Amino acid sequence: MTKVLLAYVVADGLFLLMGIFMIAFSVIVQNIQFEIPTEGHQAARNLLYQRFPLTAGIVNSVFIFVTFLFTIPGVITPARGWLKMGGWMTTVCGIFSLIIGLYLWILTLTTKEDFAPLYFRQTPEIQQLMQSAFQCCGYFNSTSPAFVTDDICSSPAAAALMRPCATPINSFANVLVDNIFTAVFGMVGIDAVLIVATACLLKERKERERFRHIDEKSGVIGF
């Protein structure tokens, strides 16, 4: 096995792991996003998850698995056709992942406004969990929506002195989503590495094929 082929195999393995991670995350989040929360951070996280493009993540991961299957013949056979097909399919996967990452990044730009309707639709019990976890009252302020009376917001006067929940929830959301879209952009980087490895392997095999033809013409058997 040449160094170029070894590099390709390693990149291809990372590509497969990327697909496994993406589908595992998407399926797990789909299963927990609507569960009844018992804590405020969990409630906010689940509401954020409901805005994630989870179906797109599953579709992309399935396409990654299909692409990986196309790369296997390219590794075990000298034919370049499978490698070329795998390279094009990897490019599609990279573009798909990039779009998902950009979508998540855009979410962080409007989290405060977009999260408001989700917060407003929650029951007083869920809102109280978030008030307690984030030490806040109301969302935009203590009256919008009206705060839920608890130990943190015990009266209108006390609630008016507390910060609105929009600020800490927005910070929490940005950290959570930042980590996720950074991971997705890292996956795009793996796609790029695999594409470069594919190009290098194609070039190496083309050179070997050219030299083999030269040897055949000169009457030398083998390479």
Side-chain angles (χ1 to χ4, degrees):
M1 180 181 289
T2 66
K3 291 182 180 180
V4 175
L5 180 57
L6 178 60
Y8 178 85
V9 170
V10 171
D12 204 23
L14 292 175
F15 181 72
L16 176 61
L17 290 176
M18 177 185 78
I20 294 173
F21 173 81
M22 182 175 290
I23 196 168
F25 176 82
S26 299
V27 171
I28 291 172
V29 170
Q30 275 195 338
N31 290 331
I32 68 173
Q33 62 180 331
F34 294 110
E35 67 181 7
I36 299 175
T38 58
E39 192 270 336
H41 291 94
Q42 180 190 15
R45 183 201 65 194
N46 288 353
L47 292 175
L48 288 168
Y49 282 162
Q50 293 171 24
R51 302 174 61 215
F52 282 13
L54 300 174
T55 300
I58 293 174
V59 172
N60 191 26
S61 59
V62 170
F63 194 71
I64 287 172
F65 297 144
V66 173
T67 301
F68 176 77
L69 293 177
F70 269 81
T71 64
I72 295 176
V75 173
I76 62 179
T77 67
R80 289 183 289 149
W82 289 103
L83 282 177
K84 291 179 180 179
M85 179 63 70
W88 284 112
M89 295 177 71
T90 303
T91 302
V92 173
C93 291
I95 294 173
F96 203 158
S97 297
L98 180 62
I99 292 172
I100 292 175
L102 288 174
Y103 178 86
L104 292 172
W105 173 70
I106 291 172
L107 286 183
T108 65
L109 304 180
T110 57
T111 299
K112 184 176 181 179
E113 293 75 17
D114 293 345
F115 193 86
L118 298 175
Y119 185 94
F120 284 23
R121 288 199 297 267
Q122 302 311 301
T123 63
E125 291 76 16
I126 301 299
Q127 292 182 1
Q128 189 276 326
L129 286 176
M130 287 188 275
Q131 285 185 172
S132 177
F134 293 103
Q135 300 287 297
C136 56
C137 299
Y139 187 75
F140 290 116
N141 54 58
S142 61
T143 61
S144 178
F147 68 92
V148 178
T149 302
D150 58 11
D151 294 338
I152 304 298
C153 312
S154 56
S155 68
L161 296 176
M162 297 296 295
R163 62 181 178 177
C165 290
T167 301
I169 289 178
N170 185 59
S171 298
F172 171 80
N174 283 342
V175 171
L176 175 66
V177 181
D178 281 355
N179 290 334
I180 295 173
F181 79 66
T182 299
V184 174
F185 285 144
M187 294 178 182
V188 177
I190 294 175
D191 290 329
V193 170
L194 182 56
I195 291 170
V196 172
T198 301
C200 292
L201 186 56
L202 282 169
K203 181 179 179 181
E204 181 185 63
R205 288 188 174 177
K206 184 177 180 180
E207 288 295 315
R208 285 177 174 270
E209 185 177 345
R210 184 171 69 86
F211 285 123
R212 187 176 68 251
H213 289 325
I214 293 174
D215 289 341
E216 289 173 351
K217 290 180 179 179
S218 61
V220 178
I221 301 176
F223 178 69

